[in-house]
Amino acid sequence: KPTGPRQRTIPVRNPSDIMREPLSAFVLYALEQHMENKEEDAGAMEARDLAKLYGERWLALDATERLPFEQMAEALEPPRCTKLANKQEERKSLGQVSPAEPTSAAV
């Protein structure tokens, strides 16, 4: 009989299984902005306000400023998208509906 606090075991997942969608150029930009301004922004704003601020900054960027983030997003995209596409095709062949696809009852 254990006498100490009960230990919970958490299954370890492969990160590529957790992240179903590839990171967009905007998300990569927002992560960089957050890392650069972590000390300034952290105490002053809530997460939704930070997301709004980063979105406004993203929209203010011109195409040349967005290009590095778009290239990074493209570089990250193929393996995850291929894996996701394969899973979706496998579900369709088994007659299962993907969570992202609406069913006729939900429409």
Side-chain angles (χ1 to χ4, degrees), residues 36-93:
E36 288 177 2
N37 304 317
K38 194 186 301 188
E39 293 81 25
E40 299 168 15
D41 296 340
M45 299 182 168
E46 292 184 24
R48 67 174 174 247
D49 297 327
L50 285 174
K52 185 176 178 181
L53 175 67
Y54 297 151
E56 290 169 356
R57 289 180 186 171
W58 174 254
L59 292 175
L61 295 178
D62 63 9
T64 57
E65 293 172 318
R66 288 185 185 188
L67 186 61
F69 299 102
E70 291 169 353
Q71 290 172 340
M72 283 190 288
E74 274 185 34
L76 293 173
E77 187 172 341
R80 291 186 182 157
C81 284
T82 304
K83 187 172 184 178
L84 177 62
N86 291 342
K87 282 186 178 182
Q88 288 175 345
E89 287 300 319
E90 187 178 312
R91 285 183 183 142
K92 285 180 184 178
S93 68

